[in-house]
Amino acid sequence: MDDKYFAKKIEQKWQKIWAETGAFHAEVDDEKPKFYALEMLPYPSGNLHMGHVRNYSAGDALAWYKRLRGFNVLHPIGWDSFGQPAEDAAVKRGVNPREWTEANIVSMRGQLQRLGLSYDWRRQMYAHRPEYYKFDQWFFLKMYEMGLAYKKQTQVNWCSHDQATLSNEQASGGLCWRCGNPVTKKDLEQWFLKTTAYTDELLDDMTEIESGWPASVIKRQQDWMGRSYGAYVDFEISASGESLFACPIVDGITSTTDLGKKRVRVFTTRIDTIFGANAIVLAAEHPVIQANMDNFAEDVAAKIAYIRTENAKPADHEVEIEKDGIDTGLKALNPFSNEEIPVWVGNYVMMGYGTGAVMSVPAHDERDFEFARKFGLPVKTVIVSEPPASAGGNQEACSLTSDTADKVELGSTLTPPAYAGGSDGVLINSGVWSGMTSEEAKASMTEYAVKYFFGEAATTYRLRDWGISRQRFWGSPIPIVYCDDCGTVPEKFENLPVELPETAPFTGTGESPLAKVPEFYETTCPKCDGPARRETDTMDTFVDSSWYFFRYSDATNEILPFDPAIAAYWMPVDQYIGGDDHAVMHLIYARFWTKVMRDLELIPFGEPFKRLLTQGMVVGETFFDDSSGKRIYFPPDKVEVERDSKGKITSATAVGLGGGTADADRSVRTPLKYAIERMSKSKGNGVDPDEMVEAYGADAARLFVMFAAPIDNELVWNEAGIEGAVRFIQRVWRLVHRWNELLRTTYEGAPPAETAASRKLRQKTHQTIERVTDSLESLQFNTPVAALMELSNAISDFPVEPQHAAAEEIFAVREALTALTLMLTPFAPHVAEEFYSILVGNEDGLIANNARFPEFDPELAKADEIEFPIQVNGKLRSRITASPEISNEDLERLTFADAKVKEITDGKEIVKVIIVPKRLVNIVVR
RNA sequence: GCCGAGGUGGCGAAAUGGUAUACGCACUAGUCUUAGGAACUAGCGUCGAAAGACAUGCGAGUUCGAGUCUCGCCCUCGGCACCA
């Protein structure tokens, strides 16, 4: 053993041994319990960043911990290697996306290997290789057979910056998830996967996983899928005056009655408020509105057109959009009250949700209220919080106090109008339903609507089907062929994979590059063998990440995505770790895909991830100039920063970025904005993990990242602390070195009698084992490191020199150092291996030696003396040292014998004495 | 606006309702060194000479006892954004 700790030497040594012995190769073993530890796979950008290091360090710590607990651990890694950056590089720099991607993987794999992560590298999957995407296509065809994949013309989310189609999830908030630019709408033919077929299951099955998932992720998925229970109600529509009107029949939105009356369907969750409806409000994109643009009065048509263009504009979320709309002149008949009410177009009604038509009930819906107030529409209260005083009978005539405490003259229009609140209550002014509770009325009125054929109970969802078509080259081709004779024909399974050509003309214009490659799209029809054309769109890359974790279980299967028998052993994933930015995209798609696989009978379960841990972002300071409308980032070394006494930035100025001479440069000063943002190379606030490993070693870097903050906290990067991690490892190194010669001594049978020093150390050792075990079981990674530091300090403080140590003392130190080594393994595996090799006298490694995590002995962990704080009226006044087993009587006697206690309680009445066993004494005096 | 998480030393952070600030960073003094940005020792919430008092965003409450539980505010961060 070297006198000093040389990180690089130790790390290279053990990485070599691990690779040569296949230490982390996992195989099915029915004798052992399995554990599948998984971290979200990286996109191979070419550079690892600290966020990756945090994610993978946590996953690796868990994998090591479970191995040492005797589990058969599957811990794989792979590459999310399809996607836009490769294509961007092709457009901008003319490189081949495949070569670019492969080169990036090589360099990133090197970075991961230098971190010493314990992966079974044999199981790598590469999304961009035909061996993998063949099965994206395989699944697509299966879904096509199941009716889960379909094509339709639709308005898609379009990012003009990236020139890309986005799914709803990717366009969340009206901004592109990748570049943050506003999203617009564009008409395109798109392939969809029917995620909506599983919405109820995706929601209801959350009960299976909610104990293992962060509540926030569960909540966000629920909100995203947005299930609401309500009813559809059909309103007859008619034109007033001379104007004709058109009513195209759109399934689920419009219809005609047997008598040929035209009807528009609205969705409401509050059918009980229908007697308060003052209008029907349609989206500007509603088919009935679209079809009648020529029939409307000029000003009406102009207004509608205006609203429609406004709607197509990217939304600015900082500004609340003012309610706008116009009365179309059409009339609707309230099927409950037979009241004729106007049909409006409103900018607050979205075509994409429900039926694109709502009934406006201003008294009980804030948006409708705002709308009614703006346009002077009547507001009629139909729900009150308490039943009317004269219970029973018809209460139309009595006066009531509404929710807002305004005096309400029933049945009349209010001036000024008052908002009565959106909560459930008791119905008034609602015909035969008056007097019912909202709950009763909802059921009864829905039943009534069904009976008379103008409505039904309905559940709507916010979640839409998943649009997977991308006009991109660097993705999995959609295995569909278009034949003039046979129409849309799925490719045959035996013809998979539909391989990407070597290259294509990359223009970045948003058209599919594959459409310009005849060798690719010219094909024969799988059905009639006639000439046909391939689909030239490729799949969204979230397809790849929806099932990759199944592929790891059987990574080289050429027939199937994976062998169901092998997956049955490894799956589901026991612990998944990744960023919570994937809460609604990846994690919904992966859950959806799993349910599809279950229905394909590949697997017998429907939830892929038993437990999920979302680690916080690693962030750093950024400096940028956004005066041009786009953020231009400046590297920190080009920025002068002023800070307040707390280290917070107060101003930042860019220097030396002018075009001229050095002196001229210095005079060019641009004031910058600053922020704390997720680390990335493009923002100039990234720390290169390779540099960290080079300077401090992988073990120290990993240990520090785990120690610095709780895993789910945001971590503001501060390099200063990492030296503490190096010092800690060096301290342990010196300890092992100091006791080295004596550690070989082993004892058969029971440990020898104990001295005070050895007993105290053993106590600390076992207390630490308990703490570290509990922490790791609950996925805390910062506190166990602190506990290990304490143990190492305790060994350092051991009051006996090695050369004077008695056998029992050597035993205690050996036990402590062995436990420390094993518990250090999850955080700093290389140096732990080195210590372990000294303890066992061979270099076969922890796994070959079948090393086990230390077990704690409660007897040894128990302290023989503890300090009891003595409080008087809850204030700490003194301390007494006694056995934790001391009787309450003895403890009370000792307490009152204490000089300090005597002084304070002297002359006061003792009201009571509270003794919490093994904790404290509190004397209450008056 | 709605939902969620959180506010503890100079900083990252610990604390089953029971000694607040463990562990680490930074800092201060010292020891050893030709030297130290190494190692070791000691100190380190605020006020105070001390005794002690006051300290977990602010204000109430429950309790023998509250960082922790309840209620009301304030602030920060994240998510959602007219979802009928």
Side-chain angles (χ1 to χ4, degrees):
Chain A
M1 186 185 194
D2 291 329
D3 289 3
K4 280 178 129 183
Y5 165 59
F6 299 107
K8 196 184 267 181
K9 183 177 165 189
I10 300 299
E11 286 167 11
Q12 285 172 350
K13 169 180 168 184
W14 285 99
Q15 283 168 16
K16 190 158 171 265
I17 294 175
W18 291 334
E20 283 169 1
T21 59
F24 310 123
H25 291 180
E27 291 301 338
V28 169
D29 178 354
D30 290 318
E31 301 297 302
K32 272 175 149 186
K34 68 94 184 180
F35 191 89
Y36 188 171
L38 180 70
E39 299 110 51
M40 289 181 184
L41 84 175
Y43 177 80
S45 64
N47 289 91
L48 222 52
H49 54 74
M50 290 312 288
H52 290 124
V53 175
R54 194 179 199 195
N55 187 182
Y56 302 144
S57 296
D60 208 52
L62 187 68
W64 265 111
Y65 171 68
K66 289 291 177 180
R67 267 182 214 119
L68 293 176
R69 287 247 91 129
F71 285 86
N72 186 23
V73 174
L74 177 60
H75 190 219
I77 188 79
W79 306 98
D80 191 14
S81 44
F82 264 143
Q84 211 158 307
E87 204 160 333
D88 290 346
V91 173
K92 281 190 203 127
R93 289 180 272 132
V95 297
N96 181 293
R98 185 174 289 102
E99 286 161 17
W100 184 85
T101 301
E102 290 285 353
N104 283 349
I105 289 175
V106 168
S107 86
M108 266 174 93
R109 181 166 43 221
Q111 290 184 302
L112 290 174
Q113 280 166 337
R114 284 189 288 281
L115 281 166
L117 297 162
S118 64
Y119 294 123
D120 182 348
W121 290 101
R122 301 171 307 164
R123 293 172 182 268
Q124 279 173 97
M125 53 70 58
Y126 305 79
H128 73 288
R129 292 193 183 168
E131 304 88 89
Y132 184 80
Y133 70 70
K134 171 182 177 178
F135 294 106
D136 287 342
Q137 297 169 347
W138 187 91
F139 278 116
F140 181 90
L141 292 179
K142 287 287 177 190
M143 288 194 208
Y144 188 78
E145 285 175 359
M146 294 161 86
L148 292 172
Y150 67 94
K151 194 178 193 188
K152 73 170 181 199
Q153 168 85 25
T154 181
Q155 271 212 329
V156 298
N157 300 300
W158 176 254
C159 174
S160 51
H161 175 265
D162 285 353
Q163 293 284 318
T165 319
L166 304 171
S167 72
N168 293 315
E169 289 79 4
Q170 292 162 352
S172 174
L175 300 173
C176 173
W177 71 293
R178 188 187 293 282
C179 67
N181 283 296
V183 170
T184 54
K185 303 279 181 189
K186 188 174 170 177
D187 286 317
L188 268 185
E189 280 250 290
Q190 279 251 300
W191 281 96
F192 284 85
L193 298 182
K194 217 180 238 175
T195 40
T196 53
Y198 289 87
T199 317
D200 278 317
E201 271 197 76
L202 287 167
L203 283 162
D204 297 338
D205 289 355
M206 284 189 184
T207 52
E208 279 179 40
I209 50 172
E210 66 190 351
S211 62
W213 281 44
S216 63
V217 175
I218 295 279
K219 181 75 169 46
R220 280 176 63 190
Q221 291 209 356
Q222 281 168 343
D223 289 350
W224 186 261
M225 292 189 260
R227 176 163 59 188
S228 44
Y229 298 107
Y232 289 133
V233 182
D234 298 324
F235 283 67
E236 278 178 22
I237 307 286
S238 55
S240 67
E242 300 306 308
S243 64
L244 299 166
F245 90 102
C247 182
I249 301 306
V250 179
D251 193 32
I253 291 178
T254 53
S255 59
T256 50
T257 63
D258 296 342
L259 300 169
K261 297 263 176 76
K262 297 159 180 178
R263 303 197 301 186
V264 165
R265 172 159 278 203
V266 305
F267 175 72
T268 178
T269 56
R270 293 301 304 276
I271 194 172
D272 55 312
T273 65
I274 199 164
F275 279 80
N278 66 346
I280 294 299
V281 187
L282 307 186
E285 299 81 9
H286 194 280
V288 168
I289 299 301
Q290 306 249 38
N292 287 288
M293 288 303 279
D294 294 339
N295 300 332
F296 294 134
E298 208 170 300
D299 57 326
V300 173
K303 185 71 165 189
I304 293 169
Y306 172 74
I307 290 173
R308 215 183 297 163
T309 33
E310 286 296 303
N311 286 353
K313 279 187 191 166
D316 179 357
H317 289 290
E318 304 305 311
V319 195
E320 200 178 325
I321 300 158
E322 207 191 324
K323 296 272 180 300
D324 199 359
I326 191 151
D327 188 341
T328 61
L330 297 174
K331 297 291 176 195
L333 197 64
N334 183 331
F336 282 88
S337 66
N338 279 323
E339 200 181 346
E340 193 181 66
I341 53 177
V343 176
W344 284 64
V345 164
N347 66 343
Y348 70 105
V349 178
M350 300 181 299
M351 196 55 228
Y353 184 79
T355 58
V358 303
M359 61 183 204
S360 169
V361 186
H364 303 290
D365 182 286
E366 279 189 61
R367 295 154 302 176
D368 295 339
F369 179 70
E370 209 185 305
F371 193 69
R373 195 173 45 186
K374 173 153 180 183
F375 293 104
L377 301 174
V379 178
K380 186 174 160 194
T381 301
V382 290
I383 304 284
V384 289
S385 57
E386 277 166 31
S390 57
N394 214 336
Q395 302 90 6
E396 306 288 310
C398 65
S399 182
L400 286 164
T401 304
S402 77
D403 284 358
T404 45
D406 291 305
K407 278 286 179 193
V408 177
E409 181 86 5
L410 288 176
S412 72
T413 302
L414 296 171
T415 1
Y419 179 55
S423 30
D424 279 6
V426 175
L427 277 71
I428 57 167
N429 292 335
S430 298
V432 298
W433 289 278
S434 293
M436 282 191 191
T437 62
S438 289
E439 198 188 336
E440 291 160 356
K442 281 176 194 171
S444 166
M445 292 170 104
T446 305
E447 212 176 290
Y448 180 82
V450 171
K451 191 172 168 191
Y452 293 99
F453 304 105
F454 65 82
E456 61 189 291
T459 305
T460 59
Y461 304 90
R462 200 186 109 108
L463 184 78
R464 244 84 58 67
D465 284 338
W466 175 15
I468 57 156
S469 296
R470 296 292 179 274
Q471 294 68 51
R472 287 275 159 186
F473 170 78
W474 199 229
S476 178
I478 294 172
I480 288 288
V481 172
Y482 302 105
C483 169
D484 285 342
D485 295 328
C486 313
T488 302
V489 184
E491 185 53 276
K492 290 180 182 161
F493 280 95
E494 62 261 35
N495 290 345
L496 299 185
V498 176
E499 276 200 54
L500 284 174
E502 265 310 299
T503 186
F506 300 106
T507 56
T509 56
E511 285 165 273
S512 182
L514 290 177
K516 295 166 198 146
V517 185
E519 312 87 86
F520 175 80
Y521 65 72
E522 284 173 0
T523 186
T524 51
C525 173
K527 224 183 209 169
C528 70
D529 268 342
R533 187 187 158 90
R534 283 196 188 285
E535 169 67 60
T536 52
D537 282 355
T538 53
M539 298 185 208
D540 182 4
T541 56
F542 275 102
V543 166
D544 310 311
S545 54
S546 291
W547 67 279
Y548 75 101
F549 43 94
F550 281 89
R551 183 67 178 174
Y552 286 143
S553 68
D554 185 19
T556 54
N557 198 319
E558 292 174 13
I559 315 294
L560 286 170
F562 52 87
D563 179 340
I566 297 174
Y569 175 81
W570 289 116
M571 296 299 296
V573 173
D574 293 283
Q575 180 68 56
Y576 198 22
I577 307 179
D580 77 344
D581 39 341
H582 291 111
V584 293
M585 295 196 271
H586 166 55
L587 289 170
I588 286 181
Y589 299 141
R591 292 181 62 221
F592 159 75
W593 211 277
T594 302
K595 289 174 196 306
V596 173
M597 286 192 266
R598 178 205 56 203
D599 290 350
L600 283 166
E601 295 184 351
L602 286 169
I603 49 166
F605 55 87
E607 285 297 334
F609 312 119
K610 280 204 237 173
R611 300 219 291 169
L612 173 70
L613 175 67
T614 48
Q615 103 261 6
M617 284 191 290
V618 179
V619 297
E621 291 168 347
T622 53
F623 307 96
F624 59 89
D625 177 17
D626 63 357
S627 53
S628 65
K630 226 193 147 211
R631 286 188 173 190
I632 298 163
Y633 286 93
F634 288 73
D637 57 319
K638 297 278 192 242
V639 180
E640 263 180 28
V641 183
E642 284 173 33
R643 295 173 190 276
D644 65 15
S645 57
K646 289 198 165 190
K648 287 223 168 72
I649 307 172
T650 53
S651 85
T653 315
V655 289
L657 287 160
T661 63
D663 280 346
D665 269 7
R666 212 150 298 282
S667 64
V668 179
R669 301 177 64 86
T670 322
L672 296 179
K673 292 190 174 170
Y674 45 88
I676 290 189
E677 293 183 275
R678 163 188 229 126
M679 277 197 167
S680 85
K681 211 181 173 190
S682 61
K683 290 175 185 156
N685 66 344
V687 179
D688 183 355
D690 261 353
E691 286 169 27
M692 303 275 299
V693 170
E694 185 63 31
Y696 308 104
D699 281 337
R702 292 174 53 174
L703 184 97
F704 174 65
V705 166
M706 291 292 92
F707 174 66
I711 189 76
D712 44 1
N713 273 27
E714 183 173 88
L715 175 59
V716 181
W717 187 250
N718 171 13
E719 195 141 339
I722 191 171
E723 293 184 22
V726 179
R727 278 202 280 270
F728 166 61
I729 293 173
Q730 283 172 337
R731 252 193 325 268
V732 181
W733 184 277
R734 282 196 299 272
L735 280 174
V736 174
H737 187 260
R738 192 150 78 100
W739 290 87
N740 186 1
E741 294 307 315
L742 298 163
L743 295 175
R744 311 269 160 82
T745 333
T746 50
Y747 294 92
E748 296 297 326
E754 291 168 328
T755 62
S758 68
R759 188 160 59 242
K760 207 174 146 208
L761 182 57
R762 297 199 67 190
Q763 187 189 309
K764 185 70 183 176
T765 301
H766 285 269
Q767 285 171 344
T768 305
I769 296 169
E770 184 179 20
R771 276 175 70 187
V772 171
T773 305
D774 289 351
S775 297
L776 288 175
E777 287 293 339
S778 59
L779 301 176
Q780 288 176 277
F781 300 99
N782 57 330
T783 47
V785 176
L788 294 179
M789 287 173 170
E790 283 186 45
L791 179 58
S792 127
N793 291 346
I795 305 170
S796 297
D797 292 344
F798 192 68
V800 184
E801 290 299 313
Q803 59 271 29
H804 301 129
E808 56 198 285
E809 289 163 342
I810 295 170
F811 178 89
V813 171
R814 185 186 151 80
E815 179 185 53
L817 282 172
T818 306
L820 181 58
T821 295
L822 289 161
M823 293 191 286
L824 194 56
T825 308
F827 305 99
H830 309 88
V831 74
E833 284 274 25
E834 186 66 17
F835 296 152
Y836 189 77
S837 72
I838 289 158
L839 290 163
V840 297
N842 70 60
E843 300 207 327
D844 300 341
L846 287 149
I847 291 173
N849 277 291
N850 211 21
R852 284 290 173 274
F853 208 76
E855 297 280 345
F856 99 99
D857 180 339
E859 277 308 307
L860 288 165
K862 204 182 287 175
D864 39 22
E865 279 203 319
I866 57 171
E867 199 178 63
F868 286 88
I870 309 299
Q871 300 179 337
V872 176
N873 287 348
K875 285 195 188 242
L876 180 70
R877 293 301 178 186
S878 185
R879 300 168 217 267
I880 288 175
T881 305
S883 156
E885 305 303 326
I886 190 171
S887 69
N888 287 359
E889 295 72 33
D890 288 347
L891 185 57
E892 190 168 336
R893 200 168 326 117
L894 278 176
T895 300
F896 284 104
D898 184 81
K900 188 83 204 179
V901 172
K902 275 187 186 153
E903 184 193 320
I904 291 181
T905 58
D906 193 35
K908 300 214 170 87
E909 182 197 345
I910 311 270
V911 180
K912 69 172 149 175
V913 178
I914 291 147
I915 294 177
V916 184
K918 296 181 190 174
R919 279 291 178 184
L920 57 43
V921 180
N922 187 12
I923 304 163
V924 185
V925 299
R926 196 153 37 211

